[in-house]
Amino acid sequence: MIEVEHLSKIYGSTTAITDVTFSVEPGEILGFLGPNGAGKTTTMRILAGYLPASSGTAKIAGYDVHDNSLLVRQRIGYLPETPPLYPEMTVEGFLHFVARIKGVSSGDRPTKVTAAINRCNLQDKRQVIIRKLSKGYRQRVGIAQAIVHDPPAIILDEPTVGLDPRQITEVRNLIKSLAGTHTIILSTHILPEVSMTCSRVAIINRGQIVATNTPENLMTQLTGGAGYELEITGEAPLAKQMLQKISGVSLVESIPNHQHLSENHTYLRVILQPGKEPGKEIASALIRAGFGLYEMRRINATLEDVFLELTTAEKNFSTGINSEIAESETTTDIKSEIEEGEAA
């Protein structure tokens, strides 16, 4: 449904994104994950036809974003980080207006608007002036305007930023309900958003894609954060030295100031090499050597571990990428290019 190949964007001497390549299957929710300034918003704007790419191609529903911009815009729903709302209009009036400018026929508009209102749980707010809505409801209206013409692809840029926990849960459930019938790219830097909403993840850092996979596979394959936490008695240095020699063990470290620290008890964290499971060998070695083993608890790598590993390891990235590319709206090059696009 969405195919991005070797996409790059350069503002003057600043490279925002370079050689970005990924795809999104029909009905899938892809989490586009990265730290602030990684290139997420730049990529989303190119896909939405808001900005031109410097090089590379992007296709949505088979149409090139650059060559067939109008056809692409008819097939996408776009929610930027700040919802594009008219605060003096009612919810229903605004959605009718959006449906009209998005080419929905007059006969279909009432049905499409009602469907978007129902899907976004705005039934009680349809005649309310938008400026009187809470931020959570304004975010729902933003999603409603993105889906009112029932597009096959939806692009959501930071859809839960600034919301309270209850509002985040509501918006998250709404997004999940759109999967299957819509293909969705969800841009965010909030890790729980990805793990709880998305079926696949693309991680971008410094303008480059550094990993694409399911959250589960990323946590299994791309991090050494999985292992065991041990509570033992005996000489900790000797235990660490012995465990470090076991095949499949990557690192053994003490856990300082453990909250359950008992007298004469030592807490160790054993980090495993990816794909290795020497749990039996660890327990046997400790018992044979005379250490008291009081607890052995499995710990698993998290998406946060993967994210930190991929976005802090300098070896993963080209030194030619400027780390200060933070999708800034303040640079002269970006402002002039946006103004030219709006004038066109």
Side-chain angles (χ1 to χ4, degrees):
M1 176 60 71
I2 300 175
E3 298 176 3
V4 178
E5 294 185 355
H6 309 296
L7 206 62
S8 297
K9 180 64 179 178
I10 301 173
Y11 298 109
S13 61
T14 301
T15 300
I17 59 173
T18 183
D19 200 31
V20 168
T21 298
F22 63 90
S23 62
V24 192
E25 299 298 322
E28 184 178 38
I29 302 180
L30 176 75
F32 201 54
L33 178 64
N36 290 329
K40 301 187 302 296
T41 294
T42 295
T43 305
M44 298 296 98
R45 288 175 174 172
I46 292 172
L47 291 178
Y50 188 74
L51 289 176
S54 299
S55 62
T57 62
K59 293 182 178 180
I60 296 179
Y63 295 99
D64 187 277
V65 170
H66 182 267
D67 296 336
N68 304 107
S69 179
L70 290 179
L71 291 175
V72 168
R73 295 182 196 198
Q74 292 172 1
R75 289 161 175 80
I76 64 170
Y78 177 44
L79 175 64
E81 186 173 342
T82 301
L85 308 177
Y86 287 104
E88 70 278 6
M89 300 179 74
T90 66
V91 170
E92 186 173 27
F94 171 69
L95 293 178
H96 271 281
F97 167 73
V98 172
R100 180 166 61 86
I101 65 175
K102 289 189 175 184
V104 178
S105 65
S106 58
D108 290 337
R109 276 177 222 151
T111 301
K112 296 286 188 181
V113 168
T114 298
I117 287 174
N118 291 340
R119 200 152 200 182
C120 297
N121 293 320
L122 291 165
Q123 297 93 328
D124 296 337
K125 306 295 182 181
R126 63 192 304 156
Q127 297 302 325
V128 176
I129 303 295
I130 290 175
R131 62 179 169 80
K132 295 183 178 180
L133 296 175
S134 68
K135 184 165 186 177
Y137 274 108
R138 289 199 299 271
Q139 202 74 359
R140 290 192 198 182
V141 177
I143 296 176
Q145 66 81 29
I147 67 174
V148 70
H149 57 307
D150 197 25
I154 301 173
I155 300 170
L156 305 174
D157 191 4
E158 303 281 2
T160 61
V161 67
L163 302 184
D164 64 38
R166 181 182 60 82
Q167 293 168 336
I168 289 174
T169 300
E170 292 172 350
V171 171
R172 182 185 297 148
N173 291 336
L174 170 58
I175 294 170
K176 290 171 68 175
S177 73
L178 297 172
T181 56
H182 301 272
T183 302
I184 301 171
I185 296 182
L186 169 64
S187 167
T188 184
H189 64 275
I190 303 173
L191 294 172
E193 202 69 49
V194 173
S195 58
M196 300 181 71
T197 308
C198 304
S199 53
R200 203 158 55 89
V201 178
I203 298 179
I204 186 171
N205 190 58
R206 299 187 179 186
Q208 292 181 298
I209 298 293
V210 295
T212 305
N213 213 318
T214 65
E216 294 78 13
N217 285 343
L218 285 175
M219 288 185 284
T220 300
Q221 299 172 8
L222 296 180
T223 184
Y228 296 94
E229 287 188 354
L230 310 174
E231 179 185 351
I232 66 171
T233 55
E235 294 293 329
L238 293 178
K240 293 169 66 175
Q241 184 178 14
M242 179 187 67
L243 294 175
Q244 191 69 63
K245 297 178 181 179
I246 296 176
S247 176
V249 172
S250 175
L251 175 68
V252 182
E253 58 186 2
S254 299
I255 305 177
N257 302 320
H258 195 282
Q259 60 181 340
H260 300 303
L261 190 63
S262 302
E263 187 177 359
N264 300 323
H265 286 215
T266 297
Y267 291 83
L268 301 177
R269 181 181 294 112
V270 180
I271 305 300
L272 305 181
Q273 297 172 3
K276 302 295 185 180
E277 288 293 339
K280 180 179 178 181
E281 290 80 2
I282 291 171
S284 298
L286 288 170
I287 293 171
R288 284 199 309 267
F291 290 92
L293 179 58
Y294 285 80
E295 182 179 12
M296 182 172 178
R297 182 168 63 88
R298 188 75 165 86
I299 57 174
N300 293 309
T302 66
L303 190 58
E304 181 178 4
D305 296 324
V306 176
F307 181 76
L308 292 175
E309 181 175 326
L310 291 174
T311 58
T312 58
E314 294 295 328
K315 62 183 179 180
N316 286 326
F317 313 114
S318 166
T319 56
I321 305 301
N322 190 333
S323 63
E324 302 297 328
I325 60 174
E327 295 154 36
S328 171
E329 307 292 312
T330 60
T331 67
T332 302
D333 292 323
I334 298 177
K335 287 176 67 178
S336 62
E337 185 156 1
I338 291 175
E339 288 168 359
E340 290 173 1
E342 290 176 343

